[in-house]
Amino acid sequence: MAYYDFKKKPALTTKEGEKDVLYPSIVFNGTINTKQLLKQLVARTGYKPGVVEGTLMELVDLVGEYIGQGYRVEVGEFGYFSGKIKSRLVKDKKDLRSPSIQFNGVNFLASKTFKKKATGKLERAQKLFFQASSQLDDEELKRRLLEHVNRYGFITRTTYTELTGRLKNKALEDLKRFAKEGIICKVGRGNQMLFVKNQEDSQTEQNI
């Protein structure tokens, strides 16, 4: 489930005399970092972690090299990557020399296939996120927790805080308590700590 909220259109972009205009903007559930993504790829493909990570690193280097050589690079069903350049503004192109024109980032154009895959159900965040965390009962906390775990396979304390509004210590208490109840399982320690779905529950669901 993805969530959205409404934001006001900046005054500089509105016409004179126009009333305030709202537009929808996605509210992020959190950030899936590279390490977490690699873990999921390993689980799905069965390849060794080093092979997956090494391939990804080489792909990034290779795409960067081709972009630096002026190519537009297609990466599977992701889409196309190309370079951006910048310079100072001039009235005559003769006023610019090559050394003053530099690369300035990367453009990304998603493919039609990737756009279709990057969709999901939407719900307005105001119904959930604007509630004080103290107003959320255990059932609602568990619902948000399991919805995320079922979709991504794991959850971190930071993401749980973003989903529920619980402060750091309270969020960690919740997750450890849910782990004791057998709803989720704790994996790792310290900054590497993750919580995954209870494997026994997963097997039970598959047998039903």
Side-chain angles (χ1 to χ4, degrees):
M1 177 70 71
Y3 302 97
Y4 69 91
D5 193 13
F6 289 102
K7 292 184 177 181
K8 284 187 178 181
K9 189 176 181 181
L12 293 176
T13 64
T14 58
K15 297 178 181 178
E16 187 175 352
E18 186 177 29
K19 295 182 179 179
D20 287 341
V21 177
L22 301 176
Y23 67 94
S25 177
I26 195 163
V27 177
F28 294 109
N29 282 325
T31 299
I32 303 299
N33 61 37
T34 304
K35 189 170 184 177
Q36 294 166 337
L37 196 60
L38 288 173
K39 184 177 180 180
Q40 291 297 303
L41 284 172
V42 169
R44 290 190 179 196
T45 63
Y47 295 140
K48 293 182 179 180
V51 173
V52 176
E53 185 174 7
T55 301
L56 179 60
M57 291 175 64
E58 286 298 323
L59 179 62
V60 171
D61 289 343
L62 194 58
V63 171
E65 288 175 11
Y66 276 120
I67 288 175
Q69 294 173 21
Y71 287 94
R72 184 168 177 253
V73 184
E74 179 184 9
V75 181
E77 294 182 349
F78 273 114
Y80 297 86
F81 294 84
S82 60
K84 294 195 297 185
I85 58 176
K86 70 173 183 177
S87 72
R88 60 187 176 85
L89 299 177
V90 295
K91 292 183 178 180
D92 191 331
K93 59 184 179 182
K94 294 180 181 179
D95 294 334
L96 276 180
R97 295 184 178 181
S98 295
S100 63
I101 303 174
Q102 301 175 340
F103 275 93
N104 183 38
V106 176
N107 291 311
F108 172 65
L109 178 63
S111 69
K112 291 182 179 179
T113 301
F114 187 63
K115 287 180 181 179
K116 289 180 180 178
K117 291 184 178 181
T119 58
K121 294 182 179 180
L122 284 166
E123 183 175 326
R124 188 175 178 186
Q126 187 173 7
K127 297 178 181 178
L128 301 174
F129 291 91
F130 291 169
Q131 284 183 289
S133 63
S134 59
Q135 296 176 342
L136 303 178
D137 58 22
D138 258 18
E139 289 303 313
E140 178 61 21
L141 292 173
K142 291 176 183 177
R143 186 190 72 78
R144 297 188 190 187
L145 167 70
L146 291 177
E147 186 176 87
H148 186 89
V149 171
N150 286 334
R151 181 173 183 181
Y152 297 105
F154 64 93
I155 193 169
T156 63
R157 194 280 308 163
T158 301
T159 300
Y160 180 79
T161 293
E162 293 172 346
L163 290 175
T164 63
R166 309 283 268 185
L167 296 178
K168 180 178 179 179
N169 291 338
K170 195 65 178 177
L172 197 54
E173 286 179 11
D174 287 351
L175 292 169
K176 289 182 177 179
R177 176 164 56 85
F178 292 148
K180 286 184 178 180
E181 293 177 9
I183 298 172
I184 51 177
C185 295
K186 182 169 73 74
V187 178
R189 297 179 179 179
N191 294 333
Q192 305 301 319
M193 187 185 299
L194 297 173
F195 293 86
V196 299
K197 189 172 183 180
N198 189 315
Q199 295 300 317
E200 293 182 2
D201 288 345
S202 298
Q203 292 176 0
T204 301
E205 289 178 2
Q206 292 175 1
N207 294 330
I208 293 176

